[in-house]
Amino acid sequence: MNNTSGATVRINSLSHWFGEGSMRRQVLDSVSLVIQPGEVVLLTGPSGCGKTTLLTLVGALRKIQAGSVSLFGNELSGSNRKLRQLIRRNIGMIFQGHNLLRCLTAEQNVQMGADLLPGLTYKTRRNQARSWLNAVGLSDHLSKLPQDLSGGQKQRVAIARALAARPKLLLADEPTAALDSVTGREVVDLLKQLAIEQASSVLMVTHDPRILDVADRLLKMEDGRLITSLS
């Protein structure tokens, strides 16, 4: 998987529909966007305007129906399963559902992210998991199962897991929604740090006005279209 285009994300005329027949509804309408390595892009807009759908398409979680999505120089439209799996290994995802494994502790869930990094010993991966949990303020909750954590704590574990993989692209859907203002600021500062230190790209959906200053670009979506740059 070689990136010859330079850009982390290159989207051209991307459209998407849900439903069939008379129930078919367009949720994305000719979206075009380029995100460079190390760039933090925040996406705002009303609920239901297509923001989360865009994230799932960029994350190679849905089939491309119309238009083009290229990640790290690899075209997703018409791609095979093996390539999509390889691409997803370089993407960190933070969604509102947390998606933690209920049978694993907070530390073990985060270590799943570190497990994606090649050439690391078990001890190194474990220590990295602990380090990221400490960074999100959960050093006292390493051995707790998800059922014993609050919603905000689960969100922080999910964020630590995504960061532990040191992804080339981080996709985040309202990552601060369940967090207080202090923790929310700490989290977005970590995302910014990842972008700077690892040349990782960040695409984040947010309604949180407290964190807009972290963005290199602030985009707004409405009725399935990117309508303006707010930066």
Side-chain angles (χ1 to χ4, degrees), residues 44-130:
T44 69
S47 297
C49 71
K51 303 185 303 296
T52 299
T53 300
L54 179 61
L55 282 191
T56 58
L57 286 164
V58 174
L61 298 175
R62 296 184 189 274
K63 182 180 178 181
I64 306 298
Q65 296 176 345
S68 170
V69 177
S70 176
L71 301 180
F72 322 116
N74 300 273
E75 177 57 49
L76 288 183
S77 180
S79 62
N80 60 42
R81 182 179 179 183
K82 183 177 180 180
L83 176 60
R84 292 193 298 274
Q85 289 177 334
L86 185 61
I87 287 172
R88 282 196 293 267
R89 289 180 67 89
N90 293 280
I91 302 174
M93 300 182 189
I94 305 168
F95 291 110
Q96 294 183 56
H98 314 307
N99 297 322
L100 302 178
L101 291 183
R102 292 179 293 177
C103 60
L104 299 183
T105 65
E107 179 184 315
Q108 291 167 334
N109 266 286
V110 175
Q111 188 172 324
M112 289 179 62
D115 287 345
L116 295 174
L117 298 174
L120 299 182
T121 65
Y122 170 83
K123 183 177 180 180
T124 299
R125 298 195 306 273
R126 184 194 63 192
N127 289 340
Q128 286 199 2
R130 292 177 177 178

Side-chain angles (χ1 to χ4, degrees), residues 138-188:
L138 290 178
S139 56
D140 294 333
H141 300 274
L142 301 180
S143 61
K144 287 188 177 180
L145 294 170
Q147 68 190 34
D148 299 318
L149 298 172
S150 69
Q153 289 168 339
K154 290 177 186 176
Q155 182 73 333
R156 282 188 272 169
V157 173
I159 290 166
R161 180 181 59 188
L163 293 172
R166 298 192 177 274
K168 295 178 182 177
L169 171 64
L170 183 67
L171 304 173
D173 190 2
E174 298 280 3
T176 64
L179 306 179
D180 61 72
S181 59
V182 173
T183 305
R185 168 50 61 178
E186 292 173 349
V187 162
V188 296

Side-chain angles (χ1 to χ4, degrees), residues 32-50:
S32 295
L33 174 65
V34 175
I35 304 175
Q36 300 294 342
E39 189 175 22
V40 178
V41 177
L42 265 58
L43 184 60
T44 69
S47 297
C49 71

